[in-house]
Amino acid sequence: MSMVREGRAGTSPVRSPRAPRAKAPGWLLVLAILCASTAAIPLVYLVARTTDAGFAEFADTLLRARVLQLALNSVLLAAAVTGSCLVLGTASAWALTRVRIPAPRAMLLVSALPLAVPSYLAAYGWLVWLPTLDGFFASWLIMTAVCTPYVTLPVVAALRGASGELEAVARTLGRGPWGAFRSATWPRVRPAALAGALLVALYTLSDFGLVAMLRFQTLTWGINSAYGASFDRNQAALLALMLVALALTVVAGEKRFRGQAGQGTGRGRMPLVPAGRWVTAALALVLAAPLVGVAVPVAGLTSRLVEAQTLRELDVARLGEAIGTTLGLAVAGALAAVMLALPIAVLAARYRGRLVAAVEAVGFLGHALPGIVVGLALVFFALAAVPALYQTVVVLIFGYAVLFMPKAIGTMRSGIAAVPGNLVDVSRMLGLSPLQSWWRVTARLALPGIGVSALLVAISVMKELPATLLLRPTGTSTLATELWSRTTVFEFGAAAPYAATLVLLAAVPAVVLSGFRGVAKEDL
């Protein structure tokens, strides 16, 4: 893309909204570095804690059979879920875009529904029907259903944007629908598919609620046990660092094998393949994840809610307190994440350079930090550096900001980058200071993107479980923690009202969010 675009005759060229300057002002750079550095606090503290433990203890922990088994379980589950989501998500995206199925728009909406259901809530719904469900297979099945939309949605978008000419040529040369797709179209949509697979792998590695409910012991389970049972700081920190190393390895591997998105050679569209007798199979591909990840859990939740005993024993005051706490933390976490992400988003949207790229990369570090790792690291950090803040809402909100800052950065960066640079230049020519120009021009035009980022963070805060369990003040409970505390003792009826309320509250900002058009694809 050209770095400049010509203005009208007789005027100097003005910058395109997508052409950032090379040099950022010093004050903005310093502010962005300070905000980005907050995202690195958990990782830096874990490294320091591991260093204090010494190499001997580190090696002893790594070589324990129990630790190796936990790491192997984490890797196997992440690999299995990622592989199945990659296959099922790509196949369902192909069915949605290349096969003539009934109500395709409705089917696309249905395929995205599992994103609204937290993994631990889906596990709870299944346990209502099958209380003895546990182990690797159950964890793999439900996690695959919950995570498949992370692959389906970006691949659908890539397929719709890809040219169909090469695939049509492959069909004329005798290739079948799948053969033509594999040879001509897959290289073009592979980056989108692998980006979705990266999210699946990170989500699976960081999950705690589902694997704990289904009694499949992974590193997240080991971290929680080491911290909760004996408060073994060193062992918990070492296990947390192992989990971060696995997550960073996944991120590096995805960047290594992703490649570049291919460009279409034309705007030809592939004619839809008549489903014929295979319509049932095509619909099964699309509906498999929503059925397992949404329909069965919601049916289990509904069955508990309609029981008279559940309603009679409902503690309305406690439910109301949990609702208020959840909403309050969601608003506070969203504001904190937006405030920390805003300088980074402005820097990334308006300026370029190696330092700018490094600052943005550090801001996105939360993508590779599981919630249980952030929670554990901030527990240790608060005790060592600011003991007065230990088990206070300040540390909890800060943890939310670190975890979900990437969601805010991505969306706000897109919104700010879309503000025409010439409008900013005109405002400066009229005598406005940089801060006044930002407030009167950029902030107002980028406000929808900022609002979207706040909604994304608020939804994530409502559903967050492991960080909340570790960082919440004593006596503070959210809908997620109330649901967790009841399901761990198999009180499924008592957990049902909290689960239903959590789904309804998370659905409200999700519905509002669906009305915006500026949500970045990476924030799905």
Side-chain angles (χ1 to χ4, degrees):
M1 180 179 294
S2 174
M3 296 300 294
V4 296
R5 58 183 174 86
E6 297 297 333
R8 294 181 180 179
T11 62
S12 59
V14 293
R15 285 181 302 275
S16 164
R18 298 183 182 275
R21 294 185 177 97
K23 187 176 181 180
W27 66 268
L28 177 60
L29 191 58
V30 171
L31 184 60
I33 290 175
L34 290 176
C35 292
S37 64
T38 60
I41 289 177
L43 180 59
V44 170
Y45 190 80
L46 285 178
V47 173
R49 188 79 200 179
T50 304
T51 303
D52 291 341
F55 178 79
E57 184 174 351
F58 179 72
D60 178 66
T61 300
L62 290 182
L63 295 178
R64 292 177 186 174
R66 186 61 178 161
V67 173
L68 293 176
Q69 185 63 51
L70 294 175
L72 180 61
N73 287 347
S74 295
V75 172
L76 287 178
L77 182 61
V81 172
T82 303
S84 55
C85 286
L86 188 60
V87 173
L88 181 59
T90 303
S92 59
W94 181 82
L96 286 166
T97 57
R98 293 292 193 263
V99 180
R100 196 183 305 277
I101 60 175
R105 292 184 180 180
M107 289 297 103
L108 178 59
L109 177 62
V110 169
S111 70
L113 288 179
L115 290 179
V117 180
S119 60
Y120 57 86
L121 199 152
Y124 159 77
W126 274 87
L127 287 172
V128 169
W129 298 114
L130 301 171
T132 59
L133 191 67
D134 61 15
F136 173 83
F137 178 78
S139 302
W140 165 79
L141 176 66
I142 301 175
M143 187 68 75
T144 297
V146 170
C147 293
T148 293
Y150 285 116
V151 177
T152 302
L153 297 181
V155 173
V156 165
L159 284 173
R160 288 179 171 176
S163 169
E165 292 181 352
L166 292 180
E167 191 172 341
V169 170
R171 293 287 301 277
T172 61
L173 295 177
R175 298 283 182 90
W178 267 110
F181 171 84
R182 186 176 61 253
S183 61
T185 305
W186 170 247
R188 288 172 167 74
V189 302
R190 182 179 61 190
L194 293 184
L198 169 65
L199 295 178
V200 172
L202 293 177
Y203 188 95
T204 307
L205 284 174
S206 65
D207 181 79
F208 168 70
L210 180 144
V211 295
M213 285 186 179
L214 299 179
R215 296 178 289 279
F216 183 68
Q217 298 177 0
T218 61
L219 280 173
T220 56
W221 180 90
I223 294 168
N224 186 71
S225 297
Y227 170 74
S230 59
F231 204 65
D232 188 343
R233 295 185 181 184
N234 289 341
Q235 183 176 349
L238 291 173
L239 292 178
L241 196 60
M242 286 181 62
L243 187 57
V244 172
L246 287 177
L248 293 176
T249 301
V250 170
V251 173
E254 188 272 341
K255 290 184 177 180
R256 170 67 177 82
F257 294 106
R258 175 176 53 192
Q260 298 295 324
Q263 300 296 324
T265 58
R267 295 188 178 182
R269 292 179 59 87
M270 279 294 300
L272 296 179
V273 178
R277 60 179 180 176
W278 299 104
V279 65
T280 302
L283 290 176
L285 285 174
V286 175
L287 298 177
L291 177 64
V292 176
V294 179
V296 173
V298 169
L301 176 62
T302 304
S303 70
R304 290 296 186 186
L305 282 175
V306 298
E307 292 180 358
Q309 183 177 359
T310 298
L311 297 178
R312 285 198 305 268
E313 296 179 353
L314 176 62
D315 189 341
V316 177
R318 190 173 182 85
L319 176 61
E321 182 181 352
I323 293 174
T325 302
T326 301
L327 292 175
L329 290 176
V331 172
L335 290 175
V338 167
M339 293 299 294
L340 288 177
L342 187 57
I344 304 173
V346 173
L347 185 71
R350 292 301 190 195
Y351 304 95
R352 67 180 185 273
R354 292 183 178 178
L355 182 57
V356 172
V359 171
E360 185 182 14
V362 174
F364 274 97
L365 189 61
H367 265 321
L369 292 178
I372 195 169
V373 171
V374 172
L376 183 68
L378 290 182
V379 166
F380 295 159
F381 179 77
L383 285 172
V386 281
L389 295 180
Y390 174 64
Q391 281 196 329
T392 65
V393 72
V394 174
V395 178
L396 177 58
I397 293 173
F398 180 75
Y400 290 146
V402 171
L403 274 173
F404 306 123
M405 190 191 305
K407 296 180 181 294
I409 293 174
T411 306
M412 288 195 295
R413 178 188 59 194
S414 301
I416 294 170
V419 177
N422 60 324
L423 295 182
V424 179
D425 291 339
V426 170
S427 67
R428 295 297 308 280
M429 292 173 62
L430 294 176
L432 296 182
S433 67
L435 183 59
Q436 290 174 323
S437 179
W438 153 258
W439 179 251
R440 295 188 181 183
V441 179
T442 306
R444 292 186 180 184
L445 294 178
L447 188 59
I450 297 174
V452 167
S453 67
L455 287 174
L456 286 169
V457 175
I459 294 173
S460 301
V461 170
M462 289 181 188
K463 300 188 297 182
E464 173 59 29
L465 177 63
T468 307
L469 288 173
L470 289 172
L471 296 175
R472 60 177 174 160
T474 302
T476 300
S477 297
T478 66
L479 292 170
T481 59
E482 289 286 354
L483 169 63
W484 166 256
S485 63
R486 283 161 174 75
T487 53
T488 52
V489 293
F490 300 98
E491 295 179 356
F492 298 128
Y498 296 94
T501 307
L502 178 60
V503 172
L504 292 176
L505 285 184
V508 172
V511 170
V512 175
L513 191 61
S514 65
F516 288 92
R517 303 303 183 192
V519 182
K521 290 179 182 178
E522 62 267 26
D523 295 317
L524 290 173

